[in-house]
Amino acid sequence: MARFIVTGGRPLHGSLRVSGAKNAALPILAACLLSDAPVALAECPELKDVGNMLSILSDLGAAYEREGGLLHIDASKADSFVMPSRISKELRSSIFTLGPLLGRFQRAVCTYPGGCEIGHRPIDLHLKGLSMLGVEITEEHGQILCDGRNMHGAEIHLDYPSVGATENIIMGAVRADGETIIHNAAREPEIVDLQRFLCSMGFFVSGAGTSDVRITGTKAPTKSVVHSVIPDRIVAGTMLCAAAIAGGEVTLNNVRPEHMASVLSKLREAGAIVLCGEHSVYLRAPDRLREVKIIETLPYPGFPTDMQAQFFALCTVAEGTSVVVENVFEGRFKHAAELARMGAMFTQKDRTAVIRGVKRLTGTQVYARDLRGGAALTIAGLVALGETTVMNAELIDRGYEGMERMLTAIGARIRREED
Ligand code: UD1
């Protein structure tokens, strides 16, 4: 068990380099199963979820090695289509191996995936999409058995633009006979990155970043690839929120500002000065943050659900009344009760919270209940009087390569303690 001890009251100054995106790296790692040729990934973050995904690949017969800044993956000897259930239960993204295994072996066996406790996270859209590609899906003793020997292209209309379902269907369809079109596809930058990766391997995918993604199946051998994972827009957004809350000014490098438009717009609305370079963002905090009238989480390019908790924390110390609506995942307000223990004032019903900003929070012991909620409590600690102890900090490690090190580098007083 790990915890962060944060001493509030110090403004942040300096610059940080943002790591590669976890949510882009995970499906790309799964997609390596589609290839006989070697893959080298740059900017693949060193996170627990990435480690778990690598363990899954290794259990399936793939080899990997980190060397300098590159992660080498060789799936040429992959020989199993049965996902190890122990790790799969820990990692929601284990479900991403379903499409690639079907593409590679025309078979896949998996269990229902685990992951962050942020509400009901079904996989019905993944399974529905794959079954439209001709995959026969049955359930036996808690296992999902997929038979893709008759896979074919199809026109699929997603009921909701699910990120994971879009990625899984793309990865299944690249080896299916004929053309697949996914309508109402998710448009996240991580899907564009996956498309870029698959195309470098020799597959035919187009339209990622729009609502219509087209895949033309091929049986041709794959090519070796060197790919650089896109920067993590959520890590970047979290650090900008930290600076906005704590005061001061920071510059983030290795950022794609165009991936963060909704977040940057809300930071400006809160009174921060935000200036963008091609691959950098500078933020100067105002003397006092202003309320953000309404934040509604939505699929990209709407405001990301993965930034909701951090903005919730920001609103608790902004002058005036802000409204936060969580539309994507129910049960993603677990940080709210913890922030209340620090003196935050709000009312919350179902998916809506109305927050009345206070001048200062008070440090106390709080519990991270999920990854982004834990990050929100940590940055709230930066502006709290006295010491804030964020328990269960290992949950935060799932998405940040040492959040305490990043914050220390820009002047925060924060340390990690482990049992
Ligand atoms: C991904 C991200 C996660 C982010 C989320 C929303 C990764 C590893 N995770 O998660 O960090 O918070 O996108 O941007 O990339 N849904 C269904 N049925 C399904 C799939 C999803 O009903 O089969 C629902 C979910 O319950 C949720 C919504 O669709 O309400 C969004 O889920 P989805 O976009 O699939 O998110 P994830 O891929 O799980």
Side-chain angles (χ1 to χ4, degrees):
M1 296 289 268
R3 56 189 169 269
F4 289 157
I5 319 288
V6 192
T7 307
R10 290 185 79 167
L12 304 183
H13 288 282
S15 63
L16 276 179
R17 188 177 187 281
V18 175
S19 56
K22 164 178 96 80
N23 288 347
L26 291 170
I28 285 173
L29 286 173
C32 290
L33 287 167
L34 284 161
S35 187
D36 275 328
V39 171
L41 289 182
E43 302 289 349
C44 184
E46 292 195 41
L47 298 167
K48 192 169 163 217
D49 279 8
V50 168
N52 278 336
M53 181 60 92
L54 289 170
S55 299
I56 292 178
L57 297 188
S58 152
D59 274 23
L60 297 171
Y64 66 88
E65 187 184 25
R66 277 201 189 260
E67 190 195 25
L70 289 181
L71 173 62
H72 298 275
I73 295 127
D74 177 358
S76 60
K77 297 197 174 57
D79 56 0
S80 170
F81 54 80
V82 182
M83 260 195 275
S85 59
R86 186 183 47 82
I87 308 174
S88 308
K89 284 193 174 132
E90 273 190 38
L91 181 69
R92 163 98 187 154
S93 315
S94 60
I95 196 69
F96 292 141
T97 52
L98 209 50
L101 285 175
L102 283 162
R104 175 81 177 255
F105 300 108
Q106 293 74 55
R107 300 280 190 93
V109 177
C110 70
T111 49
Y112 280 94
C116 249
E117 290 297 320
I118 53 173
H120 193 46
R121 293 180 89 175
I123 54 166
D124 56 314
L125 297 172
H126 300 238
L127 300 181
K128 195 170 158 191
L130 292 172
S131 69
M132 291 189 76
L133 294 177
V135 179
E136 280 176 35
I137 300 169
T138 47
E139 273 188 60
E140 236 172 60
H141 312 297
Q143 286 196 310
I144 306 169
L145 314 179
C146 301
D147 182 340
R149 280 172 293 184
N150 294 318
M151 268 172 91
H152 51 72
E155 192 164 346
I156 298 170
H157 191 103
L158 283 180
D159 295 330
Y160 183 89
S162 151
V163 180
T166 302
E167 292 169 333
N168 233 337
I169 297 166
I170 293 174
M171 293 189 281
V174 290
R175 282 291 191 209
D177 280 337
E179 193 173 41
T180 297
I181 305 174
I182 310 172
H183 298 295
N184 198 28
R187 292 185 282 163
E188 269 70 358
E190 291 75 17
I191 296 174
V192 180
D193 206 29
L194 177 65
Q195 169 177 290
R196 216 163 43 93
F197 178 69
L198 291 169
C199 291
S200 313
M201 274 162 83
F203 293 112
F204 301 103
V205 186
S206 61
T210 75
S211 297
D212 296 305
V213 177
R214 280 169 194 272
I215 306 108
T216 307
T218 174
K219 302 283 186 244
T222 48
K223 298 184 257 186
S224 64
V225 182
V226 181
H227 180 89
S228 188
V229 176
I230 54 167
D232 197 312
R233 61 196 166 99
I234 307 301
V235 170
T238 304
M239 289 300 133
L240 293 177
C241 269
I245 286 182
E249 50 187 335
V250 297
T251 302
L252 302 184
N253 298 309
N254 194 39
V255 192
R256 297 277 292 273
E258 71 273 25
H259 293 167
M260 305 177 60
S262 59
V263 166
L264 299 181
S265 140
K266 291 295 170 195
L267 286 166
R268 289 189 180 109
E269 199 179 321
I273 290 174
V274 179
L275 304 173
C276 300
E278 200 182 341
H279 296 291
S280 64
V281 177
Y282 162 89
L283 178 140
R284 189 164 82 224
D287 290 339
R288 175 93 201 265
L289 289 162
R290 288 196 299 267
E291 82 270 13
V292 184
K293 289 270 183 271
I294 185 154
I295 294 175
E296 277 210 66
T297 66
L298 287 169
Y300 188 85
F303 188 89
T305 172
D306 280 352
M307 283 302 302
Q308 179 261 109
Q310 301 87 317
F311 267 81
F312 194 118
L314 183 149
C315 294
T316 64
V317 289
E319 194 165 19
T321 302
S322 309
V323 177
V324 176
V325 186
E326 174 55 59
N327 290 309
V328 180
F329 291 108
E330 91 281 13
R332 211 173 188 179
F333 273 139
K334 295 206 173 98
H335 43 279
E338 302 300 309
L339 286 166
R341 284 145 56 89
M342 296 173 74
M345 303 278 286
F346 60 87
T347 54
Q348 183 225 320
K349 192 160 186 289
D350 302 328
R351 289 168 180 260
T352 303
V354 178
I355 305 162
R356 190 152 56 82
V358 295
K359 264 216 156 124
R360 206 106 206 243
L361 298 172
T362 311
T364 183
Q365 189 178 75
V366 288
Y367 286 82
R369 309 280 180 190
D370 58 53
L371 157 58
R372 305 303 171 188
L377 297 174
T378 307
I379 63 176
L382 298 173
V383 78
L385 274 175
E387 247 181 34
T388 302
T389 304
V390 183
M391 306 297 284
N392 299 344
E394 63 280 358
L395 282 176
I396 304 170
D397 294 339
R398 293 183 55 180
Y400 300 85
E401 281 180 314
M403 187 174 182
E404 81 285 12
R405 284 197 301 274
M406 287 182 224
L407 289 171
T408 304
I410 46 176
R413 208 178 295 161
I414 169 171
R415 67 179 195 278
R416 172 190 293 261
E417 285 181 1
E418 310 247 3
D419 285 337

